[in-house]
Amino acid sequence: MIELLPATTHRRERWKNGGGWTREILRFPADGAWDWRISVAEVGCDGPFSPFPGCEREIVLISGQGMELHFADGEMHRLVPPHGRLRFSGERPLTALLVDGPTVDFNLMWKRDAIDAQLLHRPIVGSMLFFGEPDVTWVLYVLAGQVRTPAGVLEVGDAARIAIPPGERRVIEGGGEVLLAKLQPANPAAQG
């Protein structure tokens, strides 16, 4: 199954502090408290990040000149173009300082006790093959170029949810760059 998630359908909400906007791409489950959530943030000014206790986060700079992430414990990380990224715990207090104007950032958040997540940045030149795995959901986000799927064409800023039954496979094609989030239930044996 491939579900297209065009940019025009991503719900856009103003931040409570007025410093930016979030466009939610997808969350699971769709209603109530989520186990994972994918969104794009439009950051308009310096300010603190909202805390997400019990969650892991990974952000990727999509556009803009970048930002400095200042953690309360003194650590600093700079996201730089073209696609600087950082994975960190949602509990860690931090403040973002914009380098030179607004940024747009891809955000993947997941509850660490419920979900195992990987975020991959890949070029797509020609075909890309996905094999079905039990309980695995892929979310594809187009950074550059165009992607053709059996369900339709994706442009920059569009996304798709891909869930393939075990033993089956799906092919997508195109040219450009994508982010691929691989999401699956956490392995309780691996916890702790």
Side-chain angles (χ1 to χ4, degrees), residues 49 70-73 89-95:
F49 272 41
H70 292 266
F71 291 90
D73 61 11
S89 295
E91 295 88 354
R92 293 183 71 192
L94 77 146
T95 299

Side-chain angles (χ1 to χ4, degrees), residues 119-141:
L119 184 61
L120 310 169
H121 177 194
R122 295 288 186 258
I124 180 167
V125 181
S127 299
M128 183 180 285
L129 192 59
F130 291 84
F131 292 93
E133 299 177 63
D135 301 318
V136 170
T137 297
W138 290 91
V139 178
L140 176 148
Y141 181 85

